[in-house]
Amino acid sequence: QVQLQESGPGLVKPSGTLSLTCAVSGDSISSHNWWNWVRQPPGKELEWIGEIYHSGSTNYNPSLESRVTISVDKSKNQFSLKLTSVTAADTAMYYCARNHYDWGQGTLVTVSS
Amino acid sequence: DIVMTQSPDSLAVSLGERATLNCKSSQSVLYNSKNYLAWFQQKPGHPPKLLIHWASTRRSGVPDRFSGSGSGTDFTLIISGLQAEDVAVYYCQQYYSIPYTFGQGTKLEIK
């Protein structure tokens, strides 16, 4: 059974960079799946951020594309999210997911000085 | 972007009764006879849980009181015989085109 676990700083300063990692267990990051990041501001709906295939191919939400980078580390069986120039509007629960099937528990990131 | 609109925003149903949740996409999500539409259940403090994909295929382990239907732009999630554990927010999502988009959610409560 696949498990995904997000990790990273819970507090990021405005204009800084949000960096999160998703550790995958129970499946290989090199399997035929797309590895996704999704976020949810407190009390609001879900927003898809982007996805990556093990080959390194990526798709991003155009609304965030200029600030987002998703990468994969096959040696550690994990993938990562970087979001630059953050503002309070980026405060959210961030989830990683395997396709749309399996999700991590999420990690709350607050943007505040 | 494909806009997903769910109705109603909230719904109260008696235990044992049927709950009907709707989702409409701003353009068709049908391709090669497959509808690229998923339904999720989210309980407070938990991540979304996939219930149904391809509009009507229940994920393994999901109770058969959950059923999905529809095609093209109009979709429905029916929960037959509502149980207390079904209280949650339900989201639809299209994965037909990027960016994948979610509806605003329907909050289901017990009457």
PDB file of all heavy atoms in Angstrom, chain A residues 38 40 44-46 48 51 59-62 95 100-105, chain B residues 40 42 46-48 50 53 59 91 93 95 98-100 102-104:
ATOM      1  N   VAL A  38      -1.125  19.434  -4.619  1.00  0.00           N
ATOM      2  CA  VAL A  38      -2.416  20.113  -4.551  1.00  0.00           C
ATOM      3  C   VAL A  38      -2.428  20.917  -3.252  1.00  0.00           C
ATOM      4  O   VAL A  38      -1.887  20.465  -2.244  1.00  0.00           O
ATOM      5  CB  VAL A  38      -3.590  19.107  -4.553  1.00  0.00           C
ATOM      6  CG1 VAL A  38      -4.938  19.831  -4.416  1.00  0.00           C
ATOM      7  CG2 VAL A  38      -3.568  18.256  -5.822  1.00  0.00           C
ATOM      8  N   GLN A  40      -4.760  23.619  -0.449  1.00  0.00           N
ATOM      9  CA  GLN A  40      -6.102  24.004   0.013  1.00  0.00           C
ATOM     10  C   GLN A  40      -5.973  25.083   1.073  1.00  0.00           C
ATOM     11  O   GLN A  40      -5.605  24.802   2.220  1.00  0.00           O
ATOM     12  CB  GLN A  40      -6.835  22.783   0.577  1.00  0.00           C
ATOM     13  CG  GLN A  40      -8.270  23.034   0.956  1.00  0.00           C
ATOM     14  CD  GLN A  40      -8.983  21.756   1.339  1.00  0.00           C
ATOM     15  OE1 GLN A  40      -8.406  20.849   1.944  1.00  0.00           O
ATOM     16  NE2 GLN A  40     -10.268  21.665   0.989  1.00  0.00           N
ATOM     17  N   LYS A  44     -11.145  26.664   2.324  1.00  0.00           N
ATOM     18  CA  LYS A  44     -11.448  26.899   0.909  1.00  0.00           C
ATOM     19  C   LYS A  44     -11.308  25.617   0.096  1.00  0.00           C
ATOM     20  O   LYS A  44     -11.080  24.538   0.629  1.00  0.00           O
ATOM     21  CB  LYS A  44     -10.530  27.990   0.359  1.00  0.00           C
ATOM     22  CG  LYS A  44     -10.769  29.348   1.017  1.00  0.00           C
ATOM     23  CD  LYS A  44     -10.014  30.450   0.295  1.00  0.00           C
ATOM     24  CE  LYS A  44     -10.316  31.805   0.912  1.00  0.00           C
ATOM     25  NZ  LYS A  44      -9.613  32.905   0.219  1.00  0.00           N
ATOM     26  N   GLU A  45     -11.492  25.767  -1.230  1.00  0.00           N
ATOM     27  CA  GLU A  45     -11.482  24.587  -2.087  1.00  0.00           C
ATOM     28  C   GLU A  45     -10.065  24.200  -2.504  1.00  0.00           C
ATOM     29  O   GLU A  45      -9.085  24.894  -2.206  1.00  0.00           O
ATOM     30  CB  GLU A  45     -12.344  24.834  -3.329  1.00  0.00           C
ATOM     31  CG  GLU A  45     -11.856  25.979  -4.201  1.00  0.00           C
ATOM     32  CD  GLU A  45     -12.994  26.611  -4.982  1.00  0.00           C
ATOM     33  OE1 GLU A  45     -13.927  27.147  -4.359  1.00  0.00           O
ATOM     34  OE2 GLU A  45     -12.920  26.576  -6.223  1.00  0.00           O
ATOM     35  N   LEU A  46      -9.984  23.081  -3.182  1.00  0.00           N
ATOM     36  CA  LEU A  46      -8.705  22.515  -3.596  1.00  0.00           C
ATOM     37  C   LEU A  46      -8.195  23.177  -4.877  1.00  0.00           C
ATOM     38  O   LEU A  46      -8.979  23.510  -5.780  1.00  0.00           O
ATOM     39  CB  LEU A  46      -8.886  21.009  -3.843  1.00  0.00           C
ATOM     40  CG  LEU A  46      -9.307  20.210  -2.609  1.00  0.00           C
ATOM     41  CD1 LEU A  46     -10.045  18.940  -3.008  1.00  0.00           C
ATOM     42  CD2 LEU A  46      -8.081  19.868  -1.759  1.00  0.00           C
ATOM     43  N   TRP A  48      -5.134  22.557  -7.803  1.00  0.00           N
ATOM     44  CA  TRP A  48      -4.056  21.730  -8.339  1.00  0.00           C
ATOM     45  C   TRP A  48      -2.863  22.614  -8.686  1.00  0.00           C
ATOM     46  O   TRP A  48      -3.022  23.639  -9.357  1.00  0.00           O
ATOM     47  CB  TRP A  48      -4.563  20.991  -9.571  1.00  0.00           C
ATOM     48  CG  TRP A  48      -3.554  20.119 -10.243  1.00  0.00           C
ATOM     49  CD1 TRP A  48      -3.129  18.891  -9.849  1.00  0.00           C
ATOM     50  CD2 TRP A  48      -2.851  20.411 -11.453  1.00  0.00           C
ATOM     51  NE1 TRP A  48      -2.205  18.393 -10.740  1.00  0.00           N
ATOM     52  CE2 TRP A  48      -2.019  19.306 -11.730  1.00  0.00           C
ATOM     53  CE3 TRP A  48      -2.845  21.496 -12.329  1.00  0.00           C
ATOM     54  CZ2 TRP A  48      -1.187  19.255 -12.849  1.00  0.00           C
ATOM     55  CZ3 TRP A  48      -2.028  21.444 -13.447  1.00  0.00           C
ATOM     56  CH2 TRP A  48      -1.200  20.338 -13.696  1.00  0.00           C
ATOM     57  N   GLU A  51       2.294  18.554 -11.552  1.00  0.00           N
ATOM     58  CA  GLU A  51       2.614  17.141 -11.481  1.00  0.00           C
ATOM     59  C   GLU A  51       3.927  16.861 -12.205  1.00  0.00           C
ATOM     60  O   GLU A  51       4.362  17.653 -13.054  1.00  0.00           O
ATOM     61  CB  GLU A  51       1.491  16.303 -12.098  1.00  0.00           C
ATOM     62  CG  GLU A  51       1.256  16.578 -13.578  1.00  0.00           C
ATOM     63  CD  GLU A  51       0.090  15.784 -14.171  1.00  0.00           C
ATOM     64  OE1 GLU A  51      -0.559  15.000 -13.452  1.00  0.00           O
ATOM     65  OE2 GLU A  51      -0.169  15.965 -15.387  1.00  0.00           O
ATOM     66  N   ASN A  59       3.916  19.173 -15.633  1.00  0.00           N
ATOM     67  CA  ASN A  59       2.790  20.011 -16.018  1.00  0.00           C
ATOM     68  C   ASN A  59       2.477  20.898 -14.835  1.00  0.00           C
ATOM     69  O   ASN A  59       2.431  20.418 -13.697  1.00  0.00           O
ATOM     70  CB  ASN A  59       1.547  19.179 -16.368  1.00  0.00           C
ATOM     71  CG  ASN A  59       1.749  18.326 -17.593  1.00  0.00           C
ATOM     72  OD1 ASN A  59       2.082  18.824 -18.665  1.00  0.00           O
ATOM     73  ND2 ASN A  59       1.547  17.026 -17.445  1.00  0.00           N
ATOM     74  N   TYR A  60       2.252  22.179 -15.097  1.00  0.00           N
ATOM     75  CA  TYR A  60       1.974  23.120 -14.017  1.00  0.00           C
ATOM     76  C   TYR A  60       0.662  23.860 -14.271  1.00  0.00           C
ATOM     77  O   TYR A  60       0.232  24.036 -15.410  1.00  0.00           O
ATOM     78  CB  TYR A  60       3.097  24.162 -13.908  1.00  0.00           C
ATOM     79  CG  TYR A  60       4.453  23.608 -13.533  1.00  0.00           C
ATOM     80  CD1 TYR A  60       5.590  23.948 -14.276  1.00  0.00           C
ATOM     81  CD2 TYR A  60       4.614  22.764 -12.442  1.00  0.00           C
ATOM     82  CE1 TYR A  60       6.848  23.464 -13.938  1.00  0.00           C
ATOM     83  CE2 TYR A  60       5.872  22.270 -12.097  1.00  0.00           C
ATOM     84  CZ  TYR A  60       6.972  22.620 -12.848  1.00  0.00           C
ATOM     85  OH  TYR A  60       8.222  22.132 -12.516  1.00  0.00           O
ATOM     86  N   ASN A  61       0.066  24.322 -13.170  1.00  0.00           N
ATOM     87  CA  ASN A  61      -1.080  25.209 -13.269  1.00  0.00           C
ATOM     88  C   ASN A  61      -0.571  26.555 -13.804  1.00  0.00           C
ATOM     89  O   ASN A  61       0.318  27.158 -13.198  1.00  0.00           O
ATOM     90  CB  ASN A  61      -1.736  25.383 -11.900  1.00  0.00           C
ATOM     91  CG  ASN A  61      -3.068  26.082 -11.969  1.00  0.00           C
ATOM     92  OD1 ASN A  61      -3.271  26.989 -12.780  1.00  0.00           O
ATOM     93  ND2 ASN A  61      -3.991  25.660 -11.118  1.00  0.00           N
ATOM     94  N   PRO A  62      -1.115  27.009 -14.916  1.00  0.00           N
ATOM     95  CA  PRO A  62      -0.634  28.283 -15.482  1.00  0.00           C
ATOM     96  C   PRO A  62      -0.697  29.451 -14.499  1.00  0.00           C
ATOM     97  O   PRO A  62       0.109  30.381 -14.597  1.00  0.00           O
ATOM     98  CB  PRO A  62      -1.580  28.512 -16.668  1.00  0.00           C
ATOM     99  CG  PRO A  62      -1.999  27.147 -17.074  1.00  0.00           C
ATOM    100  CD  PRO A  62      -2.112  26.372 -15.790  1.00  0.00           C
ATOM    101  N   TYR A  95      -0.802  19.227  -0.136  1.00  0.00           N
ATOM    102  CA  TYR A  95      -0.874  17.776  -0.233  1.00  0.00           C
ATOM    103  C   TYR A  95      -0.046  17.284  -1.418  1.00  0.00           C
ATOM    104  O   TYR A  95      -0.045  17.921  -2.484  1.00  0.00           O
ATOM    105  CB  TYR A  95      -2.314  17.320  -0.490  1.00  0.00           C
ATOM    106  CG  TYR A  95      -3.307  17.623   0.596  1.00  0.00           C
ATOM    107  CD1 TYR A  95      -4.190  18.696   0.486  1.00  0.00           C
ATOM    108  CD2 TYR A  95      -3.405  16.808   1.726  1.00  0.00           C
ATOM    109  CE1 TYR A  95      -5.127  18.958   1.475  1.00  0.00           C
ATOM    110  CE2 TYR A  95      -4.340  17.066   2.718  1.00  0.00           C
ATOM    111  CZ  TYR A  95      -5.193  18.136   2.579  1.00  0.00           C
ATOM    112  OH  TYR A  95      -6.122  18.389   3.566  1.00  0.00           O
ATOM    113  N   HIS A 100      -4.543  10.832  -8.876  1.00  0.00           N
ATOM    114  CA  HIS A 100      -5.562  11.354  -7.960  1.00  0.00           C
ATOM    115  C   HIS A 100      -5.995  10.264  -7.000  1.00  0.00           C
ATOM    116  O   HIS A 100      -6.972  10.413  -6.272  1.00  0.00           O
ATOM    117  CB  HIS A 100      -6.767  11.906  -8.732  1.00  0.00           C
ATOM    118  CG  HIS A 100      -7.283  10.997  -9.808  1.00  0.00           C
ATOM    119  ND1 HIS A 100      -7.196  11.309 -11.146  1.00  0.00           N
ATOM    120  CD2 HIS A 100      -7.871   9.780  -9.752  1.00  0.00           C
ATOM    121  CE1 HIS A 100      -7.733  10.332 -11.858  1.00  0.00           C
ATOM    122  NE2 HIS A 100      -8.146   9.394 -11.049  1.00  0.00           N
ATOM    123  N   TYR A 101      -5.263   9.172  -6.965  1.00  0.00           N
ATOM    124  CA  TYR A 101      -5.679   8.022  -6.183  1.00  0.00           C
ATOM    125  C   TYR A 101      -5.329   8.117  -4.704  1.00  0.00           C
ATOM    126  O   TYR A 101      -6.172   7.915  -3.837  1.00  0.00           O
ATOM    127  CB  TYR A 101      -5.036   6.751  -6.752  1.00  0.00           C
ATOM    128  CG  TYR A 101      -5.457   6.421  -8.158  1.00  0.00           C
ATOM    129  CD1 TYR A 101      -4.526   6.352  -9.183  1.00  0.00           C
ATOM    130  CD2 TYR A 101      -6.790   6.168  -8.470  1.00  0.00           C
ATOM    131  CE1 TYR A 101      -4.903   6.047 -10.484  1.00  0.00           C
ATOM    132  CE2 TYR A 101      -7.181   5.864  -9.761  1.00  0.00           C
ATOM    133  CZ  TYR A 101      -6.224   5.803 -10.764  1.00  0.00           C
ATOM    134  OH  TYR A 101      -6.599   5.515 -12.048  1.00  0.00           O
ATOM    135  N   ASP A 102      -4.069   8.373  -4.407  1.00  0.00           N
ATOM    136  CA  ASP A 102      -3.565   8.285  -3.041  1.00  0.00           C
ATOM    137  C   ASP A 102      -2.914   9.594  -2.642  1.00  0.00           C
ATOM    138  O   ASP A 102      -2.116  10.148  -3.384  1.00  0.00           O
ATOM    139  CB  ASP A 102      -2.552   7.145  -2.928  1.00  0.00           C
ATOM    140  CG  ASP A 102      -3.141   5.809  -3.332  1.00  0.00           C
ATOM    141  OD1 ASP A 102      -4.003   5.304  -2.583  1.00  0.00           O
ATOM    142  OD2 ASP A 102      -2.773   5.301  -4.416  1.00  0.00           O
ATOM    143  N   TRP A 103      -3.272  10.049  -1.433  1.00  0.00           N
ATOM    144  CA  TRP A 103      -2.850  11.362  -0.966  1.00  0.00           C
ATOM    145  C   TRP A 103      -2.077  11.255   0.339  1.00  0.00           C
ATOM    146  O   TRP A 103      -2.352  10.380   1.165  1.00  0.00           O
ATOM    147  CB  TRP A 103      -4.073  12.251  -0.729  1.00  0.00           C
ATOM    148  CG  TRP A 103      -4.860  12.571  -1.963  1.00  0.00           C
ATOM    149  CD1 TRP A 103      -5.424  11.684  -2.837  1.00  0.00           C
ATOM    150  CD2 TRP A 103      -5.196  13.861  -2.455  1.00  0.00           C
ATOM    151  NE1 TRP A 103      -6.085  12.352  -3.841  1.00  0.00           N
ATOM    152  CE2 TRP A 103      -5.965  13.683  -3.635  1.00  0.00           C
ATOM    153  CE3 TRP A 103      -4.941  15.168  -2.008  1.00  0.00           C
ATOM    154  CZ2 TRP A 103      -6.460  14.769  -4.373  1.00  0.00           C
ATOM    155  CZ3 TRP A 103      -5.438  16.238  -2.738  1.00  0.00           C
ATOM    156  CH2 TRP A 103      -6.189  16.043  -3.905  1.00  0.00           C
ATOM    157  N   GLY A 104      -1.142  12.187   0.547  1.00  0.00           N
ATOM    158  CA  GLY A 104      -0.521  12.325   1.849  1.00  0.00           C
ATOM    159  C   GLY A 104      -1.478  13.012   2.814  1.00  0.00           C
ATOM    160  O   GLY A 104      -2.556  13.471   2.410  1.00  0.00           O
ATOM    161  N   GLN A 105      -1.079  13.091   4.071  1.00  0.00           N
ATOM    162  CA  GLN A 105      -1.923  13.718   5.095  1.00  0.00           C
ATOM    163  C   GLN A 105      -1.927  15.236   4.999  1.00  0.00           C
ATOM    164  O   GLN A 105      -2.812  15.890   5.542  1.00  0.00           O
ATOM    165  CB  GLN A 105      -1.464  13.288   6.486  1.00  0.00           C
ATOM    166  CG  GLN A 105      -1.788  11.840   6.818  1.00  0.00           C
ATOM    167  CD  GLN A 105      -3.283  11.562   6.739  1.00  0.00           C
ATOM    168  OE1 GLN A 105      -4.091  12.227   7.374  1.00  0.00           O
ATOM    169  NE2 GLN A 105      -3.672  10.572   5.940  1.00  0.00           N
TER     170      GLN A 105
ATOM    171  N   PHE B  40     -14.406  13.078  -4.812  1.00  0.00           N
ATOM    172  CA  PHE B  40     -13.651  12.906  -3.577  1.00  0.00           C
ATOM    173  C   PHE B  40     -14.545  13.209  -2.377  1.00  0.00           C
ATOM    174  O   PHE B  40     -15.434  14.056  -2.443  1.00  0.00           O
ATOM    175  CB  PHE B  40     -12.455  13.861  -3.522  1.00  0.00           C
ATOM    176  CG  PHE B  40     -11.408  13.590  -4.572  1.00  0.00           C
ATOM    177  CD1 PHE B  40     -11.502  14.176  -5.828  1.00  0.00           C
ATOM    178  CD2 PHE B  40     -10.333  12.765  -4.313  1.00  0.00           C
ATOM    179  CE1 PHE B  40     -10.548  13.940  -6.798  1.00  0.00           C
ATOM    180  CE2 PHE B  40      -9.363  12.526  -5.276  1.00  0.00           C
ATOM    181  CZ  PHE B  40      -9.473  13.115  -6.525  1.00  0.00           C
ATOM    182  N   GLN B  42     -14.011  14.509   1.602  1.00  0.00           N
ATOM    183  CA  GLN B  42     -13.044  15.070   2.543  1.00  0.00           C
ATOM    184  C   GLN B  42     -13.705  15.329   3.893  1.00  0.00           C
ATOM    185  O   GLN B  42     -14.641  16.120   3.981  1.00  0.00           O
ATOM    186  CB  GLN B  42     -12.409  16.354   2.005  1.00  0.00           C
ATOM    187  CG  GLN B  42     -11.260  16.844   2.899  1.00  0.00           C
ATOM    188  CD  GLN B  42     -10.571  18.076   2.367  1.00  0.00           C
ATOM    189  OE1 GLN B  42     -11.179  18.918   1.720  1.00  0.00           O
ATOM    190  NE2 GLN B  42      -9.272  18.194   2.641  1.00  0.00           N
ATOM    191  N   HIS B  46      -8.653  15.814   7.380  1.00  0.00           N
ATOM    192  CA  HIS B  46      -8.172  14.692   6.579  1.00  0.00           C
ATOM    193  C   HIS B  46      -7.986  15.114   5.127  1.00  0.00           C
ATOM    194  O   HIS B  46      -8.623  16.064   4.654  1.00  0.00           O
ATOM    195  CB  HIS B  46      -9.153  13.528   6.653  1.00  0.00           C
ATOM    196  CG  HIS B  46      -9.190  12.866   7.991  1.00  0.00           C
ATOM    197  ND1 HIS B  46      -8.368  11.806   8.329  1.00  0.00           N
ATOM    198  CD2 HIS B  46      -9.915  13.140   9.096  1.00  0.00           C
ATOM    199  CE1 HIS B  46      -8.615  11.444   9.571  1.00  0.00           C
ATOM    200  NE2 HIS B  46      -9.542  12.235  10.062  1.00  0.00           N
ATOM    201  N   PRO B  47      -7.122  14.380   4.399  1.00  0.00           N
ATOM    202  CA  PRO B  47      -6.988  14.678   2.974  1.00  0.00           C
ATOM    203  C   PRO B  47      -8.195  14.167   2.206  1.00  0.00           C
ATOM    204  O   PRO B  47      -8.969  13.335   2.722  1.00  0.00           O
ATOM    205  CB  PRO B  47      -5.726  13.901   2.577  1.00  0.00           C
ATOM    206  CG  PRO B  47      -5.689  12.754   3.533  1.00  0.00           C
ATOM    207  CD  PRO B  47      -6.241  13.286   4.829  1.00  0.00           C
ATOM    208  N   PRO B  48      -8.372  14.644   0.997  1.00  0.00           N
ATOM    209  CA  PRO B  48      -9.435  14.081   0.155  1.00  0.00           C
ATOM    210  C   PRO B  48      -9.209  12.595  -0.083  1.00  0.00           C
ATOM    211  O   PRO B  48      -8.071  12.134  -0.181  1.00  0.00           O
ATOM    212  CB  PRO B  48      -9.290  14.877  -1.158  1.00  0.00           C
ATOM    213  CG  PRO B  48      -8.615  16.141  -0.766  1.00  0.00           C
ATOM    214  CD  PRO B  48      -7.682  15.757   0.339  1.00  0.00           C
ATOM    215  N   LEU B  50     -10.355   9.520  -2.674  1.00  0.00           N
ATOM    216  CA  LEU B  50     -10.988   9.221  -3.952  1.00  0.00           C
ATOM    217  C   LEU B  50     -12.095   8.192  -3.759  1.00  0.00           C
ATOM    218  O   LEU B  50     -11.878   7.112  -3.219  1.00  0.00           O
ATOM    219  CB  LEU B  50      -9.954   8.685  -4.945  1.00  0.00           C
ATOM    220  CG  LEU B  50     -10.520   8.269  -6.308  1.00  0.00           C
ATOM    221  CD1 LEU B  50     -10.997   9.483  -7.082  1.00  0.00           C
ATOM    222  CD2 LEU B  50      -9.470   7.491  -7.105  1.00  0.00           C
ATOM    223  N   HIS B  53     -13.814   7.381  -9.939  1.00  0.00           N
ATOM    224  CA  HIS B  53     -13.139   7.980 -11.076  1.00  0.00           C
ATOM    225  C   HIS B  53     -13.759   7.485 -12.360  1.00  0.00           C
ATOM    226  O   HIS B  53     -14.612   6.591 -12.343  1.00  0.00           O
ATOM    227  CB  HIS B  53     -11.629   7.768 -11.022  1.00  0.00           C
ATOM    228  CG  HIS B  53     -11.198   6.342 -10.879  1.00  0.00           C
ATOM    229  ND1 HIS B  53      -9.952   5.897 -11.251  1.00  0.00           N
ATOM    230  CD2 HIS B  53     -11.819   5.241 -10.399  1.00  0.00           C
ATOM    231  CE1 HIS B  53      -9.846   4.612 -11.012  1.00  0.00           C
ATOM    232  NE2 HIS B  53     -10.969   4.192 -10.476  1.00  0.00           N
ATOM    233  N   ARG B  59     -13.890   3.254  -6.605  1.00  0.00           N
ATOM    234  CA  ARG B  59     -12.571   2.762  -6.255  1.00  0.00           C
ATOM    235  C   ARG B  59     -12.723   1.532  -5.351  1.00  0.00           C
ATOM    236  O   ARG B  59     -13.661   1.447  -4.550  1.00  0.00           O
ATOM    237  CB  ARG B  59     -11.754   3.833  -5.547  1.00  0.00           C
ATOM    238  CG  ARG B  59     -10.300   3.383  -5.412  1.00  0.00           C
ATOM    239  CD  ARG B  59      -9.406   4.396  -4.795  1.00  0.00           C
ATOM    240  NE  ARG B  59      -8.019   3.895  -4.864  1.00  0.00           N
ATOM    241  CZ  ARG B  59      -7.008   4.438  -4.257  1.00  0.00           C
ATOM    242  NH1 ARG B  59      -7.181   5.550  -3.551  1.00  0.00           N
ATOM    243  NH2 ARG B  59      -5.788   3.933  -4.359  1.00  0.00           N
ATOM    244  N   TYR B  91     -16.105  16.758  -3.299  1.00  0.00           N
ATOM    245  CA  TYR B  91     -15.581  17.545  -4.407  1.00  0.00           C
ATOM    246  C   TYR B  91     -15.592  16.716  -5.691  1.00  0.00           C
ATOM    247  O   TYR B  91     -15.285  15.526  -5.667  1.00  0.00           O
ATOM    248  CB  TYR B  91     -14.135  17.969  -4.156  1.00  0.00           C
ATOM    249  CG  TYR B  91     -13.937  18.937  -3.021  1.00  0.00           C
ATOM    250  CD1 TYR B  91     -13.594  18.494  -1.748  1.00  0.00           C
ATOM    251  CD2 TYR B  91     -14.062  20.313  -3.222  1.00  0.00           C
ATOM    252  CE1 TYR B  91     -13.394  19.382  -0.703  1.00  0.00           C
ATOM    253  CE2 TYR B  91     -13.862  21.211  -2.183  1.00  0.00           C
ATOM    254  CZ  TYR B  91     -13.530  20.732  -0.928  1.00  0.00           C
ATOM    255  OH  TYR B  91     -13.343  21.623   0.100  1.00  0.00           O
ATOM    256  N   GLN B  93     -13.720  16.651  -9.563  1.00  0.00           N
ATOM    257  CA  GLN B  93     -12.510  17.142 -10.212  1.00  0.00           C
ATOM    258  C   GLN B  93     -12.479  16.630 -11.646  1.00  0.00           C
ATOM    259  O   GLN B  93     -12.792  15.459 -11.893  1.00  0.00           O
ATOM    260  CB  GLN B  93     -11.251  16.641  -9.496  1.00  0.00           C
ATOM    261  CG  GLN B  93      -9.948  17.147 -10.116  1.00  0.00           C
ATOM    262  CD  GLN B  93      -8.764  16.196  -9.908  1.00  0.00           C
ATOM    263  OE1 GLN B  93      -8.930  15.004  -9.711  1.00  0.00           O
ATOM    264  NE2 GLN B  93      -7.552  16.734  -9.946  1.00  0.00           N
ATOM    265  N   TYR B  95     -10.002  15.766 -14.790  1.00  0.00           N
ATOM    266  CA  TYR B  95      -8.598  15.552 -15.141  1.00  0.00           C
ATOM    267  C   TYR B  95      -8.470  15.341 -16.648  1.00  0.00           C
ATOM    268  O   TYR B  95      -7.597  14.623 -17.133  1.00  0.00           O
ATOM    269  CB  TYR B  95      -7.982  14.396 -14.329  1.00  0.00           C
ATOM    270  CG  TYR B  95      -8.779  13.115 -14.267  1.00  0.00           C
ATOM    271  CD1 TYR B  95      -8.472  12.037 -15.084  1.00  0.00           C
ATOM    272  CD2 TYR B  95      -9.828  12.973 -13.371  1.00  0.00           C
ATOM    273  CE1 TYR B  95      -9.191  10.849 -15.011  1.00  0.00           C
ATOM    274  CE2 TYR B  95     -10.557  11.798 -13.295  1.00  0.00           C
ATOM    275  CZ  TYR B  95     -10.233  10.738 -14.121  1.00  0.00           C
ATOM    276  OH  TYR B  95     -10.960   9.566 -14.046  1.00  0.00           O
ATOM    277  N   ILE B  98      -5.339  20.272 -18.525  1.00  0.00           N
ATOM    278  CA  ILE B  98      -4.557  21.044 -17.550  1.00  0.00           C
ATOM    279  C   ILE B  98      -4.923  22.522 -17.667  1.00  0.00           C
ATOM    280  O   ILE B  98      -5.027  23.037 -18.788  1.00  0.00           O
ATOM    281  CB  ILE B  98      -3.049  20.817 -17.800  1.00  0.00           C
ATOM    282  CG1 ILE B  98      -2.701  19.392 -17.353  1.00  0.00           C
ATOM    283  CG2 ILE B  98      -2.182  21.851 -17.107  1.00  0.00           C
ATOM    284  CD1 ILE B  98      -1.386  18.900 -17.816  1.00  0.00           C
ATOM    285  N   PRO B  99      -5.181  23.206 -16.552  1.00  0.00           N
ATOM    286  CA  PRO B  99      -4.994  22.708 -15.173  1.00  0.00           C
ATOM    287  C   PRO B  99      -6.181  21.864 -14.721  1.00  0.00           C
ATOM    288  O   PRO B  99      -7.337  22.200 -14.999  1.00  0.00           O
ATOM    289  CB  PRO B  99      -4.902  23.993 -14.356  1.00  0.00           C
ATOM    290  CG  PRO B  99      -5.774  24.956 -15.107  1.00  0.00           C
ATOM    291  CD  PRO B  99      -5.583  24.629 -16.560  1.00  0.00           C
ATOM    292  N   TYR B 100      -5.868  20.763 -14.039  1.00  0.00           N
ATOM    293  CA  TYR B 100      -6.952  19.983 -13.448  1.00  0.00           C
ATOM    294  C   TYR B 100      -7.676  20.888 -12.450  1.00  0.00           C
ATOM    295  O   TYR B 100      -7.031  21.635 -11.702  1.00  0.00           O
ATOM    296  CB  TYR B 100      -6.400  18.751 -12.749  1.00  0.00           C
ATOM    297  CG  TYR B 100      -5.505  17.913 -13.620  1.00  0.00           C
ATOM    298  CD1 TYR B 100      -4.334  17.360 -13.126  1.00  0.00           C
ATOM    299  CD2 TYR B 100      -5.812  17.674 -14.958  1.00  0.00           C
ATOM    300  CE1 TYR B 100      -3.499  16.584 -13.917  1.00  0.00           C
ATOM    301  CE2 TYR B 100      -4.980  16.906 -15.770  1.00  0.00           C
ATOM    302  CZ  TYR B 100      -3.819  16.381 -15.245  1.00  0.00           C
ATOM    303  OH  TYR B 100      -2.990  15.635 -16.037  1.00  0.00           O
ATOM    304  N   PHE B 102     -11.048  21.606  -9.600  1.00  0.00           N
ATOM    305  CA  PHE B 102     -12.015  21.049  -8.662  1.00  0.00           C
ATOM    306  C   PHE B 102     -13.240  21.953  -8.585  1.00  0.00           C
ATOM    307  O   PHE B 102     -13.157  23.166  -8.817  1.00  0.00           O
ATOM    308  CB  PHE B 102     -11.406  20.974  -7.256  1.00  0.00           C
ATOM    309  CG  PHE B 102     -10.260  20.012  -7.114  1.00  0.00           C
ATOM    310  CD1 PHE B 102      -8.966  20.418  -7.429  1.00  0.00           C
ATOM    311  CD2 PHE B 102     -10.460  18.721  -6.654  1.00  0.00           C
ATOM    312  CE1 PHE B 102      -7.892  19.546  -7.293  1.00  0.00           C
ATOM    313  CE2 PHE B 102      -9.394  17.842  -6.516  1.00  0.00           C
ATOM    314  CZ  PHE B 102      -8.105  18.255  -6.833  1.00  0.00           C
ATOM    315  N   GLY B 103     -14.350  21.365  -8.197  1.00  0.00           N
ATOM    316  CA  GLY B 103     -15.511  22.158  -7.847  1.00  0.00           C
ATOM    317  C   GLY B 103     -15.319  22.783  -6.477  1.00  0.00           C
ATOM    318  O   GLY B 103     -14.348  22.488  -5.773  1.00  0.00           O
ATOM    319  N   GLN B 104     -16.267  23.629  -6.096  1.00  0.00           N
ATOM    320  CA  GLN B 104     -16.156  24.351  -4.832  1.00  0.00           C
ATOM    321  C   GLN B 104     -16.575  23.497  -3.643  1.00  0.00           C
ATOM    322  O   GLN B 104     -16.400  23.905  -2.486  1.00  0.00           O
ATOM    323  CB  GLN B 104     -16.998  25.649  -4.878  1.00  0.00           C
ATOM    324  CG  GLN B 104     -18.482  25.461  -4.581  1.00  0.00           C
ATOM    325  CD  GLN B 104     -19.289  24.967  -5.777  1.00  0.00           C
ATOM    326  OE1 GLN B 104     -18.746  24.493  -6.771  1.00  0.00           O
ATOM    327  NE2 GLN B 104     -20.605  25.080  -5.656  1.00  0.00           N
TER     328      GLN B 104
END
